[in-house]
Amino acid sequence: MKIGVTKYPGTNNEQDVLRALSELNVKGILVKQYENKPLDDFDALIIAGGFSYGDYLRPGALAAQSPMMEELQHFVDSGRFVIGVCNGFQILCETKILPGVLTTNTSTKFISKWIYLKSENSNSPLLRNTNGKVLRLPIAHFDGRYYDKEKEIELLKSKNQVAFQYCDENGDITLESNPNGSVNNIAGITNSRGNVLGLMPHPERASFEYLGSKDGIQIFENLLEEIKC
Amino acid sequence: MVVYSGKAKDVIEVDEDSVKIVFRDSISAFDGIKKEEITDKGKINCLISTKLFEILNDYGFETHFIKKLTDTELMCKRVEILPVEVVCRNYSAGSLCKRYGLNKGIEFDVPLIEFFVKDDELHDPLITSDVAIVLGMIEKKEAILLEAITRAVNETLRKIFESISLILVDFKLEFGKTSNGRIVIADEISADTMRLWEKESGEIKDKDRYRQNLGDVIIHYKDIQERLEQIKSLPPLHLKSSVRVIIKLKESVLDPAGEVTLRSLKRKEFKNIEDVRVGKSSFLLFSETPSFALQEKIEKISRDILSNPLIENHSYEIYFGSDKLQV
């Protein structure tokens, strides 16, 4: 099983992702942008967070122009799995593999805190066993406000592509529980096929009890389960 | 089939995309009030145009010129000529002196660019780019591109003529639009469309000889053509274009940075401020001449990389040279 974990100049989450994978007895392979490794060798790709290329221009915009990302559409079309966390989600939106865009938090502040999430009605195998549950994960971002046109948001909803929404600890999706101003409290989405997941919260930082939550590991377990099938 | 017959040229259709331009021996001035035939004048201007278009094509300009067919005929791309022509002046002369009461021969630090309406009945009046845009003759984007291209042509031709001891005083360019909407330099570039003075003596070499009854028109035209033919290799000019790209958040998108700025401005003494939107601007420098192809490239860069069209709008301006980047 070969799971690639991307490393761009300025990203800083790849070690956290590798650690979460090793908790599940899988040794992830670091894919450094400058090595130009062909993506075809991998069964799945995790685009780790951070600040690729300093988030210059727009978060994820310059990473989206890299040769690795040019290959990504083909990789996705082949049905293989891709998870983009935080900056990885921003990169997936900038490559247009996922719809919408992540822009500046309404507070104009960097937000680092624990939040609650709920997944509902998603068909993606990456979200198996999470439906209806309230998960506790941390966020750490400046540009996490998910935005798309109303029409597109309706489309996402109708195709069950909304993976996660910010909620309170009871699972109620409220204005107060929306940390960054995302449309419809959206914290993560999938593509229509369900093999690409992008989310702002960090499941890899919620994969160990000693960190305060193990709610995130489920997503990686689902990924490994799918690759084994 | 003759598509168009002008004062000194005929345009004949070849196929959907190309035309044959035939240079005649007629010469005229003052909107056709003064006119006559001069033997070989068509041929000489055709040869000068050929040489100058070849030079411009070599430097990366987009022109309508495809090839020379005979000594009086050019094969060119079929274009719709834009209703405004562009004049570039390095020294005061001609209508500029008359209009502003200037002495002839004042050198300008920054070459002057003027737009004129192509309309004989109106005597080709001067037009500001604002008026040309409002009247629908050209788009704003086109006005900026035409100026940038004309300045680059000026820089190029000035150097070329300098190398054969001639001073490029001023010239006129016409532009055309091809069937797929590309803007190219069109018409002719010859002794009829520019002023050239002998470097040492200041002797007039161009159509002013005819306008001012100085005689020997064809002798001087021929001299220009012969000197141009002597140019064997083109000097490296390192032509550059600079571009300012402005990215603005769309009106429908919340701009937290703008709102915070607005609040703090309101807290101060700036009472009537209603809205602040924070945008971005980028300055790009290209080692190529301004052209429609460059404009297409910039459009792609602005749309696909510098902006996210979902939340942002973009606009840009293209200039000749690198000066604008130092602002």
Side-chain angles (χ1 to χ4, degrees):
Chain A
M1 185 184 301
K2 289 179 85 178
I3 299 182
V5 179
T6 60
K7 163 79 188 147
Y8 279 94
T11 58
N12 52 16
N13 291 179
E14 50 283 339
Q15 294 301 335
D16 294 348
V17 173
L18 291 172
R19 219 168 281 136
L21 290 175
S22 64
E23 182 74 0
L24 300 171
N25 301 314
V26 170
K27 199 174 175 336
I29 300 157
L30 206 57
V31 189
K32 292 176 188 149
Q33 183 273 330
Y34 56 84
E35 290 175 342
N36 284 327
K37 272 187 200 156
L39 290 183
D40 262 353
D41 294 352
F42 296 99
D43 301 308
L45 193 69
I46 298 174
I47 307 174
F51 303 86
S52 54
Y53 299 101
D55 275 356
Y56 294 148
L57 214 50
R58 290 177 309 282
L62 294 174
Q65 301 300 324
S66 66
M68 199 189 330
M69 289 302 131
E70 282 168 13
E71 268 186 75
L72 194 64
Q73 183 66 56
H74 172 74
F75 187 83
V76 168
D77 290 344
S78 73
R80 280 170 283 185
F81 288 89
V82 177
I83 299 176
V85 177
C86 195
N87 198 217
F89 184 18
Q90 294 164 338
I91 294 171
L92 285 171
C93 286
E94 280 290 340
T95 57
K96 313 257 185 337
I97 285 172
L98 289 179
V101 61
L102 292 140
T103 181
T104 314
N105 300 339
T106 39
S107 64
T108 63
K109 288 189 174 66
F110 186 92
I111 306 170
S112 174
K113 68 174 187 182
W114 288 85
I115 48 84
Y116 293 97
L117 285 181
K118 196 156 91 170
S119 83
E120 264 178 325
N121 307 324
S122 172
N123 301 327
S124 170
L126 294 172
L127 295 161
R128 200 181 302 121
N129 299 326
T130 64
N131 268 0
K133 285 185 192 163
V134 177
L135 309 179
R136 187 167 170 268
L137 265 62
I139 56 167
H141 58 242
F142 185 81
D143 296 89
R145 177 165 56 107
Y146 185 77
Y147 173 84
D148 208 339
K149 291 183 200 122
E150 213 178 311
K151 199 175 73 194
E152 301 297 324
I153 298 288
E154 287 308 315
L155 202 65
L156 274 185
K157 283 201 270 186
S158 69
K159 292 165 94 181
N160 296 331
Q161 282 177 247
V162 177
F164 290 111
Q165 285 171 287
Y166 299 106
C167 62
D168 61 21
E169 55 184 316
N170 302 316
D172 292 325
I173 293 157
T174 60
L175 193 63
E176 293 72 30
S177 57
N178 185 342
N180 52 26
S182 290
V183 180
N184 281 32
N185 284 39
I186 288 175
I189 59 168
T190 66
N191 63 347
S192 54
R193 192 170 170 176
N195 63 326
V196 180
L197 167 68
L199 72 168
M200 287 313 294
H202 289 271
E204 76 282 6
R205 294 184 193 167
S207 293
F208 304 92
E209 281 307 344
Y210 61 80
L211 287 181
S213 170
K214 232 187 147 173
D215 291 354
I217 198 102
Q218 182 72 55
I219 292 168
F220 299 112
E221 281 172 354
N222 290 343
L223 175 67
L224 302 186
E225 195 60 38
E226 278 309 307
I227 298 172
K228 276 183 210 153
C229 300
Chain B
M1 190 187 86
V2 176
V3 187
Y4 171 82
S5 187
K7 292 189 288 271
K9 295 187 298 290
D10 294 318
V11 180
I12 297 160
E13 181 180 88
V14 175
D15 57 39
E16 236 173 60
D17 298 321
S18 41
V19 292
K20 189 162 81 174
I21 296 181
V22 185
F23 287 69
R24 297 197 315 264
D25 283 342
S26 349
I27 189 164
S28 64
F30 314 114
D31 297 321
I33 291 170
K34 180 177 170 163
K35 56 184 165 189
E36 64 188 82
E37 298 284 306
I38 299 178
T39 310
D40 278 351
K41 183 248 171 196
K43 175 179 137 187
I44 300 299
N45 266 348
C46 180
L47 294 176
I48 293 174
S49 275
T50 299
K51 185 72 184 175
L52 294 179
F53 274 124
E54 281 171 352
I55 289 172
L56 290 181
N57 282 353
D58 273 357
Y59 280 113
F61 289 92
E62 282 186 83
T63 75
H64 72 151
F65 176 82
I66 299 171
K67 63 176 178 188
K68 191 182 84 169
L69 294 170
T70 69
D71 279 357
T72 54
E73 295 173 320
L74 304 183
M75 172 88 108
C76 293
K77 288 174 191 155
R78 187 172 184 159
V79 296
E80 188 84 39
I81 296 287
L82 296 186
V84 292
E85 55 191 36
V86 189
V87 166
C88 180
R89 303 175 187 275
N90 296 309
Y91 293 85
S92 61
S95 66
L96 186 87
C97 292
K98 210 169 128 191
R99 197 181 327 131
Y100 301 118
L102 291 178
N103 288 331
K104 192 171 105 169
I106 302 165
E107 187 177 2
F108 303 118
D109 289 342
V110 178
L112 294 182
I113 296 286
E114 293 173 325
F115 291 115
F116 290 87
V117 183
K118 271 179 60 65
D119 190 324
D120 281 344
E121 271 181 41
L122 297 173
H123 310 292
D124 294 347
L126 179 76
I127 191 166
T128 64
S129 61
D130 281 350
V131 175
I133 292 161
V134 168
L135 298 184
M137 293 176 176
I138 44 172
E139 290 173 24
K140 187 176 180 190
K141 209 161 72 174
E142 290 170 345
I144 293 170
L145 184 63
L146 297 191
E147 173 168 345
I149 295 172
T150 306
R151 287 191 185 281
V153 167
N154 181 48
E155 178 75 11
T156 307
L157 295 187
R158 209 177 171 171
K159 294 261 166 66
I160 293 294
F161 283 117
E162 206 186 319
S163 74
I164 50 174
S165 302
L166 292 170
I167 294 169
L168 178 63
V169 177
D170 56 32
F171 65 95
K172 165 203 97 164
L173 286 185
E174 292 195 18
F175 291 87
K177 231 181 222 180
T178 64
S179 57
N180 47 14
R182 305 187 73 83
I183 290 179
V184 298
I185 302 166
D187 194 51
E188 63 177 292
I189 310 176
S190 70
D192 275 4
T193 66
M194 58 178 61
R195 284 193 176 84
L196 289 169
W197 296 342
E198 191 71 65
K199 196 174 172 184
E200 297 305 322
S201 61
E203 187 179 28
I204 291 169
K205 307 288 289 179
D206 54 80
K207 195 168 157 183
D208 272 353
R209 296 204 73 84
Y210 176 70
R211 291 190 193 100
Q212 299 171 17
N213 298 318
L214 300 173
D216 294 336
V217 174
I218 200 68
I219 291 170
H220 289 278
Y221 276 32
K222 213 163 172 194
D223 181 40
I224 296 169
Q225 186 253 324
E226 283 167 0
R227 289 199 217 177
L228 280 171
E229 291 308 324
Q230 284 163 15
I231 299 172
K232 291 298 167 224
S233 65
L234 298 176
L237 291 180
H238 310 292
L239 299 171
K240 290 190 193 302
S241 303
S242 51
V243 183
R244 182 173 60 179
V245 181
I246 307 274
I247 310 288
K248 284 185 195 159
L249 268 179
K250 287 185 177 170
E251 280 304 313
S252 57
V253 178
L254 175 75
D255 177 8
E259 294 210 343
V260 172
T261 311
L262 176 65
R263 277 203 295 276
S264 70
L265 288 175
K266 274 187 166 169
R267 241 188 338 259
K268 300 204 154 230
E269 69 274 28
F270 310 108
K271 293 303 172 209
N272 288 333
I273 189 152
E274 265 189 34
D275 197 13
V276 177
R277 307 284 288 174
V278 176
K280 279 183 280 194
S281 55
S282 307
F283 299 89
L284 283 60
L285 181 63
F286 289 85
S287 54
E288 65 182 79
T289 174
S291 67
F292 189 79
L294 179 67
Q295 184 176 291
E296 284 182 314
K297 214 182 280 183
I298 293 159
E299 175 65 35
K300 194 168 158 52
I301 292 172
S302 305
R303 191 193 53 219
D304 296 352
I305 300 171
L306 294 181
S307 76
N308 185 328
L310 200 56
I311 48 169
E312 293 164 327
N313 290 324
H314 68 267
S315 62
Y316 51 81
E317 284 163 14
I318 303 176
Y319 303 100
F320 167 62
S322 56
D323 300 355
K324 290 279 175 179
L325 291 185
Q326 286 150 16
V327 176

